[in-house]
Amino acid sequence: MRAPSRFPEPSLTRLTVPAGALLAAALAALPLPDARLWDALNRARPDPAPPRVAVVAIDQGALWDYGRLGVWPPELYTQVVATLLEAGAVGVGLDRPLEDLDAALAGTQAFPEAVLAAPAGQPLPAPRPSQRAVWGVDALKVGPGSVARWAQAGLRATAGPVTPAFAALLAQQAGTRQPPMAEPYLLRIPATPFPVIAFREVVNGAVAPGAVQGRVVIVGITAAGAARVKDTAGRAMPGVFMQARAVQSLLSPPLTPLPAWTVVLGAMLVTALVTWARGLWGHAAAFGLLGLGAALWSAGVLFPGVTLSLCAVLGNTLVLLERQWTLRTAGRRDPLTGYGNRQAFNAALARRRSGGLILLDLSGFRGVNDRYGRAAGDAVLRDLGRRLGRYGRRGDRQFRWGADEFALLLNGVGQPDVARLAEALQAEVNELPYQDVVLRGNVGAAAFGPDIPTPQALVEAASRQRYLRKHALRKP
């Protein structure tokens, strides 16, 4: 006869899988260091697109020649923009400080190809009659440590319209469609440096043929004291070069971030699968997801490999915690039935001061083992344990108290309820035949009360009733 299957090992998988999915959803919503991975890929695989942006540098020599900023005449800007457009530039951007905006606007207002940068958060000057030049707000997202990693195509004021970004308007001059205003985009590191022309050379008309042909040109300050921004490699550079990167990034094939709901769903799925597998697959999955992020970078996808790798590690951690729980509880669990053993019963009973106890043993059990073997005896014990378990309610606990003895600790019951449950159970186990062996269950029950104030007294009272019932069954 084939031996019946053993009770399955208790598992927390039904709890850890949904818990892991919920933790992963919260993890995916946090600002995690995926940008660090993208920074590394950006440095390892710089943008191969040829530069379509040139920089006109207002260096220290230009300040010596024309004086400090804020006193330059509008005609100087008119001459510079006209010279660049005649040389073939498709658009000219003036990245100027706030105190010099009026002069720059007065000199460029007749040029529709001119874009002036305005500081974020500052009110823009009122448009002038016949103004054809446009304003663009500085939309670089400068983070801690003055590091610029992202830019936006426009900014929305608290109560006002969206103002297009300086870089986005210049990219439009080169024929590129403006991306969604609210979506940040990653600043690509160019593989080739931007062409740089001295401001004095442009004023003097000494622009080399082809230096700006078909390019967007940004005029900005590079002299000492100019505001500097760090790129993701830690290099500090004048802000005009970061604006050039913002334009070039819009003119290059885009890097597309995954939608937020996709990241959350992927994080939940990764964690749930790793937790359900119950192996050490999380480590392999973590490295694989990082590698997938690198592969998708070449396809222009910003894959959150770090976030999903952390979710895989989270799933692995839940598996290890479950195994630790299993090891800690194995010494207090009966492997045959999955119930607590006598040690677990003693620990649970020691904390009780209310409720009741039902004890159950089996007369004639040795005959099953002697005639049909241990496998048959195990099947009988499992069946007896299931019968006892049907009388347990939420919060009650079952134990295998001895070789053929079981215990049921009841919560929130008095003597009448305990007696009623015990009688019902006794009626069910009065006769439990197995083949030609007659088995009888013996039930004893007791509840805490004035005459049974301690756990020891509770066990003695239930045992005494069980022995009395067993003795009564033996009488002819």
mmCIF file of all heavy atoms in Angstrom, residues 6 9 15 26 66-67 72-73 83 126 132 143 159 163 207 217 225 266 305 315 340-341 400 433:
data_model
loop_
_atom_site.group_PDB
_atom_site.id
_atom_site.type_symbol
_atom_site.label_atom_id
_atom_site.label_comp_id
_atom_site.label_asym_id
_atom_site.label_seq_id
_atom_site.Cartn_x
_atom_site.Cartn_y
_atom_site.Cartn_z
ATOM 1 N N ARG A 6 2.982 13.236 3.148
ATOM 2 C CA ARG A 6 3.146 13.963 4.396
ATOM 3 C C ARG A 6 2.524 15.335 4.295
ATOM 4 O O ARG A 6 2.272 15.847 3.219
ATOM 5 C CB ARG A 6 4.647 14.119 4.703
ATOM 6 C CG ARG A 6 5.320 12.800 4.983
ATOM 7 C CD ARG A 6 6.823 12.996 5.020
ATOM 8 N NE ARG A 6 7.221 13.900 6.082
ATOM 9 C CZ ARG A 6 7.446 13.526 7.339
ATOM 10 N NH1 ARG A 6 7.265 12.280 7.691
ATOM 11 N NH2 ARG A 6 7.827 14.387 8.252
ATOM 12 N N GLU A 9 5.432 21.212 4.226
ATOM 13 C CA GLU A 9 6.132 22.103 5.149
ATOM 14 C C GLU A 9 5.439 23.460 5.162
ATOM 15 O O GLU A 9 5.118 24.011 4.110
ATOM 16 C CB GLU A 9 7.587 22.280 4.707
ATOM 17 C CG GLU A 9 8.468 21.077 4.997
ATOM 18 C CD GLU A 9 8.666 20.867 6.479
ATOM 19 O OE1 GLU A 9 8.857 21.859 7.204
ATOM 20 O OE2 GLU A 9 8.607 19.717 6.919
ATOM 21 N N LEU A 15 2.250 34.760 2.036
ATOM 22 C CA LEU A 15 2.341 36.077 2.655
ATOM 23 C C LEU A 15 3.473 36.906 2.057
ATOM 24 O O LEU A 15 3.326 38.108 1.830
ATOM 25 C CB LEU A 15 2.547 35.932 4.165
ATOM 26 C CG LEU A 15 1.445 35.207 4.942
ATOM 27 C CD1 LEU A 15 1.851 35.086 6.410
ATOM 28 C CD2 LEU A 15 0.128 35.941 4.826
ATOM 29 N N ALA A 26 6.328 50.353 -3.513
ATOM 30 C CA ALA A 26 6.799 51.527 -2.771
ATOM 31 C C ALA A 26 8.239 51.865 -3.152
ATOM 32 O O ALA A 26 8.602 53.043 -3.280
ATOM 33 C CB ALA A 26 6.692 51.265 -1.271
ATOM 34 N N TYR A 66 35.383 95.340 -24.506
ATOM 35 C CA TYR A 66 34.075 95.995 -24.594
ATOM 36 C C TYR A 66 33.511 96.410 -23.241
ATOM 37 O O TYR A 66 32.397 96.953 -23.169
ATOM 38 C CB TYR A 66 33.072 95.057 -25.285
ATOM 39 C CG TYR A 66 33.586 94.536 -26.608
ATOM 40 C CD1 TYR A 66 33.897 93.190 -26.774
ATOM 41 C CD2 TYR A 66 33.775 95.405 -27.692
ATOM 42 C CE1 TYR A 66 34.380 92.708 -27.976
ATOM 43 C CE2 TYR A 66 34.263 94.930 -28.896
ATOM 44 C CZ TYR A 66 34.569 93.578 -29.037
ATOM 45 O OH TYR A 66 35.054 93.119 -30.230
ATOM 46 N N GLY A 67 34.250 96.178 -22.187
ATOM 47 C CA GLY A 67 33.788 96.606 -20.873
ATOM 48 C C GLY A 67 32.953 95.533 -20.191
ATOM 49 O O GLY A 67 32.677 94.467 -20.731
ATOM 50 N N TRP A 72 27.137 97.107 -22.420
ATOM 51 C CA TRP A 72 27.333 96.906 -23.856
ATOM 52 C C TRP A 72 26.177 97.529 -24.627
ATOM 53 O O TRP A 72 25.009 97.426 -24.225
ATOM 54 C CB TRP A 72 27.402 95.412 -24.172
ATOM 55 C CG TRP A 72 28.697 94.756 -23.717
ATOM 56 C CD1 TRP A 72 29.658 95.309 -22.951
ATOM 57 C CD2 TRP A 72 29.111 93.432 -24.032
ATOM 58 N NE1 TRP A 72 30.681 94.435 -22.742
ATOM 59 C CE2 TRP A 72 30.375 93.248 -23.405
ATOM 60 C CE3 TRP A 72 28.592 92.390 -24.762
ATOM 61 C CZ2 TRP A 72 31.095 92.067 -23.492
ATOM 62 C CZ3 TRP A 72 29.309 91.207 -24.859
ATOM 63 C CH2 TRP A 72 30.544 91.046 -24.234
ATOM 64 N N PRO A 73 26.474 98.151 -25.753
ATOM 65 C CA PRO A 73 25.405 98.776 -26.553
ATOM 66 C C PRO A 73 24.612 97.714 -27.307
ATOM 67 O O PRO A 73 25.149 96.661 -27.668
ATOM 68 C CB PRO A 73 26.168 99.681 -27.518
ATOM 69 C CG PRO A 73 27.504 99.026 -27.652
ATOM 70 C CD PRO A 73 27.812 98.425 -26.321
ATOM 71 N N THR A 83 26.117 88.638 -38.073
ATOM 72 C CA THR A 83 27.296 87.938 -38.604
ATOM 73 C C THR A 83 27.101 86.434 -38.553
ATOM 74 O O THR A 83 27.428 85.720 -39.516
ATOM 75 C CB THR A 83 28.542 88.340 -37.792
ATOM 76 O OG1 THR A 83 28.742 89.749 -37.902
ATOM 77 C CG2 THR A 83 29.763 87.604 -38.303
ATOM 78 N N ALA A 126 8.462 92.865 -20.613
ATOM 79 C CA ALA A 126 7.309 92.997 -21.494
ATOM 80 C C ALA A 126 7.752 93.010 -22.955
ATOM 81 O O ALA A 126 8.793 93.582 -23.294
ATOM 82 C CB ALA A 126 6.543 94.276 -21.169
ATOM 83 N N ARG A 132 10.545 90.282 -32.709
ATOM 84 C CA ARG A 132 10.492 88.980 -33.365
ATOM 85 C C ARG A 132 11.371 87.947 -32.657
ATOM 86 O O ARG A 132 11.179 86.749 -32.856
ATOM 87 C CB ARG A 132 10.926 89.131 -34.826
ATOM 88 C CG ARG A 132 10.061 90.146 -35.601
ATOM 89 C CD ARG A 132 10.544 90.305 -37.023
ATOM 90 N NE ARG A 132 10.292 89.114 -37.806
ATOM 91 C CZ ARG A 132 10.761 88.911 -39.040
ATOM 92 N NH1 ARG A 132 11.513 89.852 -39.608
ATOM 93 N NH2 ARG A 132 10.500 87.804 -39.687
ATOM 94 N N GLY A 143 21.004 69.839 -9.729
ATOM 95 C CA GLY A 143 20.766 69.160 -8.466
ATOM 96 C C GLY A 143 21.823 69.456 -7.429
ATOM 97 O O GLY A 143 22.606 70.418 -7.551
ATOM 98 N N ALA A 159 1.008 79.884 -11.184
ATOM 99 C CA ALA A 159 -0.305 80.257 -11.737
ATOM 100 C C ALA A 159 -0.072 81.003 -13.041
ATOM 101 O O ALA A 159 -0.194 82.220 -13.116
ATOM 102 C CB ALA A 159 -1.086 81.105 -10.749
ATOM 103 N N THR A 163 6.202 78.265 -19.997
ATOM 104 C CA THR A 163 7.208 79.049 -20.711
ATOM 105 C C THR A 163 8.175 78.092 -21.384
ATOM 106 O O THR A 163 8.791 77.257 -20.715
ATOM 107 C CB THR A 163 7.989 79.959 -19.752
ATOM 108 O OG1 THR A 163 7.076 80.799 -19.047
ATOM 109 C CG2 THR A 163 8.985 80.817 -20.517
ATOM 110 N N VAL A 207 34.731 84.745 -38.818
ATOM 111 C CA VAL A 207 34.147 83.421 -38.564
ATOM 112 C C VAL A 207 34.597 82.499 -39.681
ATOM 113 O O VAL A 207 34.358 82.767 -40.859
ATOM 114 C CB VAL A 207 32.615 83.503 -38.508
ATOM 115 C CG1 VAL A 207 32.018 82.132 -38.265
ATOM 116 C CG2 VAL A 207 32.178 84.477 -37.426
ATOM 117 N N VAL A 217 23.871 78.282 -32.700
ATOM 118 C CA VAL A 217 24.989 78.939 -32.027
ATOM 119 C C VAL A 217 24.471 79.558 -30.728
ATOM 120 O O VAL A 217 23.445 80.240 -30.717
ATOM 121 C CB VAL A 217 25.623 80.027 -32.923
ATOM 122 C CG1 VAL A 217 26.803 80.673 -32.194
ATOM 123 C CG2 VAL A 217 26.067 79.421 -34.245
ATOM 124 N N GLY A 225 34.679 83.861 -13.253
ATOM 125 C CA GLY A 225 33.551 84.397 -12.506
ATOM 126 C C GLY A 225 32.209 84.012 -13.084
ATOM 127 O O GLY A 225 31.174 84.262 -12.466
ATOM 128 N N GLY A 266 6.653 46.398 -13.204
ATOM 129 C CA GLY A 266 7.826 45.544 -13.360
ATOM 130 C C GLY A 266 8.489 45.236 -12.034
ATOM 131 O O GLY A 266 8.933 44.105 -11.796
ATOM 132 N N GLY A 305 17.350 49.820 -14.359
ATOM 133 C CA GLY A 305 17.986 48.579 -13.948
ATOM 134 C C GLY A 305 18.324 48.533 -12.474
ATOM 135 O O GLY A 305 18.248 47.473 -11.843
ATOM 136 N N GLY A 315 13.307 40.584 -3.076
ATOM 137 C CA GLY A 315 12.686 39.263 -3.109
ATOM 138 C C GLY A 315 13.575 38.201 -2.508
ATOM 139 O O GLY A 315 13.114 37.318 -1.773
ATOM 140 N N GLY A 340 2.055 22.503 16.249
ATOM 141 C CA GLY A 340 3.117 22.684 17.219
ATOM 142 C C GLY A 340 3.361 21.402 18.013
ATOM 143 O O GLY A 340 2.456 20.581 18.201
ATOM 144 N N ASN A 341 4.611 21.229 18.474
ATOM 145 C CA ASN A 341 4.920 20.044 19.273
ATOM 146 C C ASN A 341 4.725 20.356 20.762
ATOM 147 O O ASN A 341 4.215 21.408 21.135
ATOM 148 C CB ASN A 341 6.324 19.536 18.967
ATOM 149 C CG ASN A 341 7.386 20.593 19.238
ATOM 150 O OD1 ASN A 341 7.132 21.582 19.929
ATOM 151 N ND2 ASN A 341 8.575 20.389 18.692
ATOM 152 N N ARG A 400 0.456 18.669 18.572
ATOM 153 C CA ARG A 400 0.614 17.221 18.790
ATOM 154 C C ARG A 400 1.356 17.071 20.108
ATOM 155 O O ARG A 400 2.547 17.315 20.197
ATOM 156 C CB ARG A 400 1.377 16.579 17.639
ATOM 157 C CG ARG A 400 1.416 15.047 17.761
ATOM 158 C CD ARG A 400 2.186 14.423 16.638
ATOM 159 N NE ARG A 400 2.306 12.974 16.828
ATOM 160 C CZ ARG A 400 3.097 12.192 16.116
ATOM 161 N NH1 ARG A 400 3.865 12.735 15.159
ATOM 162 N NH2 ARG A 400 3.148 10.905 16.357
ATOM 163 N N PRO A 433 -12.444 3.115 12.945
ATOM 164 C CA PRO A 433 -11.870 1.838 12.509
ATOM 165 C C PRO A 433 -10.819 2.020 11.428
ATOM 166 O O PRO A 433 -10.955 2.865 10.545
ATOM 167 C CB PRO A 433 -13.092 1.077 11.982
ATOM 168 C CG PRO A 433 -14.060 2.146 11.585
ATOM 169 C CD PRO A 433 -13.841 3.269 12.541
#
